[in-house]
Amino acid sequence: MTELIIGQEVPDFTLPASNGEEVTLSSYRGRKVVLYFYPKDMTPSCTQEACSFRDSHHILEEKGVTLLGVSPDPVKSHGKFANKYELPFLLLSDEEHKVSELYGVWQLKKMYGREYEGIVRSTFLIDEDGKLLKEWRKVRVAGHTDDILSAL
């Protein structure tokens, strides 16, 4: 796991996206990027988070910010999720969780006494030069989009 430090360059990566294309993070240089990691398509909290981002997407666009979501779900699942909820941003598939590990969000989790590895909901604000401006870890969905907009 790479430790991410505010002000330093974030790890670059290329992942398949919900539109069928490959997306490379560094191709967004010159724009701020909100990169958010979420556990699973179509689950209540992940849907609430995605719809909150959808509803604020026009504000992010006006501020010159690109929004990208990442989960371990396959591209096909991302496509269904994006279509069902009319998400105007790309969802990236990290099935082998290599990028999630790079960003330190693939961790041991516990639920109902069971331990398993998965994504801990997290968001990263990246500047136009690919450097980390701010991070939110162990995100609570309610009010999170407002926190990001305030940080911008």
Side-chain angles (χ1 to χ4, degrees):
M1 177 178 99
T2 305
E3 183 178 343
L4 301 179
I5 299 169
I6 302 293
Q8 290 192 347
E9 199 168 308
V10 298
D12 196 18
F13 61 82
T14 300
L15 287 173
S18 50
N19 65 355
E21 297 177 10
E22 295 276 314
V23 169
T24 300
L25 181 62
S26 60
S27 70
Y28 293 98
R29 293 279 164 90
R31 288 180 63 94
K32 284 187 174 90
V33 174
V34 170
L35 180 66
Y36 85 98
F37 291 83
Y38 66 99
K40 188 154 182 57
D41 292 339
M42 305 288 189
T43 59
S45 292
C46 294
T47 299
Q48 181 184 354
E49 182 178 33
C51 290
S52 178
F53 280 132
R54 176 199 64 205
D55 296 345
S56 299
H57 189 258
H58 65 286
I59 299 169
L60 293 171
E61 282 291 309
E62 288 169 5
K63 293 179 178 282
V65 177
T66 296
L67 175 65
L68 299 171
V70 180
S71 89
D73 292 304
V75 170
K76 187 175 180 180
S77 174
H78 282 338
K80 289 178 183 176
F81 187 46
N83 286 336
K84 181 173 182 175
Y85 294 101
E86 299 178 358
L87 305 179
F89 51 88
L90 294 176
L91 301 176
L92 310 181
S93 179
D94 187 23
E95 288 188 83
E96 296 177 9
H97 47 82
K98 288 184 175 19
V99 174
S100 302
E101 288 177 22
L102 274 177
Y103 281 76
V105 301
W106 188 262
Q107 298 176 14
L108 187 65
K109 298 169 73 172
K110 295 179 183 181
M111 185 165 45
Y112 305 120
R114 187 175 71 92
E115 290 186 346
Y116 63 98
E117 288 190 324
I119 286 184
V120 173
R121 191 180 313 278
S122 304
T123 302
F124 301 89
L125 177 58
I126 302 163
D127 75 8
E128 295 86 349
D129 298 319
K131 295 181 179 169
L132 183 63
L133 284 176
K134 189 162 177 65
E135 65 180 12
W136 294 264
R137 295 192 181 259
K138 297 182 181 177
V139 166
R140 295 278 178 231
V141 173
H144 181 53
T145 303
D146 293 334
D147 292 342
I148 293 167
L149 294 175
S150 294
L152 290 168

